[in-house]
Amino acid sequence: MIRWFSFGACIGLICVVIFSTEGFSDTLDFGRVRIGSQQLDTLLFKNENLVNMMISKTTVSDTVFSLPSQPFSGALSQLAPGEERWVPVIFFPQGVNQDSGQVVLETNIGTFYLPLMGEGVEEVVVINEILADPASNLSGDANGDGIRNSNEDEFVELLNTGKYPINIGGWQIFDAGASQSNRLTFPPETWIGPSERAVVFGGGEPKGILGKVFVDDGRIGGGFRNSGDEIILFDPTLDDTLAFVTYGAEGNKNTSLVRWPEGIGDWYLHTEFPGQNDLFSPGTARTVVTKIKVMSQDTSIAFGDSLHLPVMKFLSNGSSEPIKNEDLNWHTSIENVMIQENSGVWVSKQQGVIQIYSDFQGFLSDTLLIRVLPPKMVRLDVSIEDSLLLIGKTYGLRVEGVISESEKTVLQDGYQIALSDSGIARVVNGEIQALSFGSCEVTVWQGDLLGRVNVQVVAYGDLNADGEHTIWDAVRVVHLILGIEPQATDFEKQSADFNQDGVLDIRDLIGVIQRMFQGEIVSNKLAENRSNIGVRKRIGGVSLDIPSQTIAITFKTMSNQNKSIKASSGHIFWVQDDMGGKGIILPGEEMGVVWQSQTVEVFGASALEAFEWMAWKLDGSSYLLLSQDESGGGVKILGSHPNPLNPSTTIDYRISVPQAITINVYNITGQWICELYDGYMPNGLHKTTWNGYDAEGRVVASGLYFVQLKGALNVSTLKMVVLR
């Protein structure tokens, strides 16, 4: 097998061509080359056969392509297996037409043909934009340095229209009559890529200009004449004028001259570009409007309805932008059928058919045929904002008159409403108010048109909407309180908020369980023997001694070591994270909704001191279950230092078991001064600081003050003296 590879050499492009005895896969493409120049590519010939290959002859079929020398002759005509040979090919374009040829390789294995292709052009790097007359004010600051200068802001933009990078190093740019010293010479190895631009300014410090930027010595050549001049791009090495542009009085218009289409087209004033209001655009492709279009898809609207007609302009770079309505001119075939009331919004004022179109800077949009239908409805659609209604809440009722399947109008009045069961719900000011559990039908009519919708009213706490409050509802409320999956619906969240305070907590659970007792509330008296209520350590966990009529036990833990917690006579629902966890224990099914036993064994609660246990009774009262192994179980202020204080003091206190506390400061008359802490605190020794200021940030006067620490079971107080 024989392989050929072609690599671009002097132009920086790599083009790979592979072929074998079965044929070739591509053509060696020289791209666009300026007439009178040359383009060089290199062929790699490699013998991948297992035998020696003898090359008898290599020829090129067209005179515009040539091999610099016979590459395979004498000893070089033989290639061993795996051996490689490089062969240069040169393209000399003679005209602007596309040329093609081929390299013919004759060997002992066979004859091979590699197609060659190239295109000659008169200009590859062209002069694409010229500014000879910068505007007199700051709008003429073409180089973006913040200063308008008649010579420094003049510029020439060059554009590479070819397929390959071109080295313009050593080339010169100047105007007619410029001396050798006034010509700007591009630095060596200055390459311009395909479609890349190079901009030459007369001077200044250009900012924000894209592409390659060059600055002359204060003016380009002798400075461009507004009344007419010639701009020349010259290669002194070949003594060749590469590109030139001649202009006349059109250069004296405060705007640049540009080609359109870019690189190959005629010259225009920049401000004459369709949709283009800028004075110049050095280093940037020109974008012009190619068409505009009204984007609305509507062809008919109901009488009195509005229609938005946005208009887009489509640009030559393939993008599109909305056009401000104030820049558009609108035209209608019949007046007063539709009237434009605000930006792009048209309102139908009478029945009829009109044609409407817009124009923008000479561009006309397509014409829309819009039919304004009479306000005849075929039916009424009735809907409620929620499918399940909660007792006591009011819901919006929406009535729509249907003109067609795609056209509806909301009716604000003029219709009548009736309900099949006034005990389930009623209508108040056009809204539905839920009264009691059940379903009823809402009927709306206007003339001979009817619309109906069924509503279902559900009590708070009935999360499955079955008309009963059951243990299933209680468990689901527990899931929502703790955030246990599955994800709750909006109805479940609203229904679970039994006390309607906007927060899901244990009180909502108590409300659901109370409803399971048909509203019967047991005595609110405290337990007869409070000393029997609390927490005791036991092997593998704790024993919770709870008051009678307990319906739930909540707990918080500051430990993450409790991987699995179980209760002897109940179900535990809990969530855990890296900082600890929280949970709720409910009685087992055999006990109903309250514990029959006054003791609940909990296994797996390894760190007793890290837990806060709370028992909740059916009447809503709560009991902090303190450790029965510790005396007091309360809070105590140990002292403050310094005392007297000036300006501040540190207060030491002890918490026996984790609980919520508050710390406040009062004066000798009992007036509240400020709060130092309000929140949950773990057991142990703690500190807080008072800086001698009141709640308003004012320094307190000298005198006697009290700091009060209030916990779940007791209050501790300490005197403090302030000396100023």
Side-chain angles (χ1 to χ4, degrees), residues 80-101:
E83 189 175 353
E84 299 176 353
R85 190 87 77 243
W86 296 89
V87 180
V89 180
I90 299 176
F91 172 44
F92 295 88
Q94 303 300 308
V96 297
N97 295 327
Q98 189 175 68
D99 290 301
S100 61

Side-chain angles (χ1 to χ4, degrees), residues 299-302 337-338 351-354 369-374 407:
T299 58
S300 62
I301 62 174
V337 173
M338 295 183 65
Q351 182 183 349
V353 178
I354 68 167
L369 184 68
I370 300 178
R371 184 184 306 274
V372 180
L373 301 177
E407 298 179 57

Side-chain angles (χ1 to χ4, degrees), residues 616-636:
W616 297 83
K617 294 184 61 175
L618 185 59
D619 61 4
S621 58
S622 61
Y623 293 82
L624 182 65
L625 304 180
L626 301 175
S627 172
Q628 296 178 354
D629 301 327
E630 295 187 33
S631 59
V635 298
K636 183 175 179 58

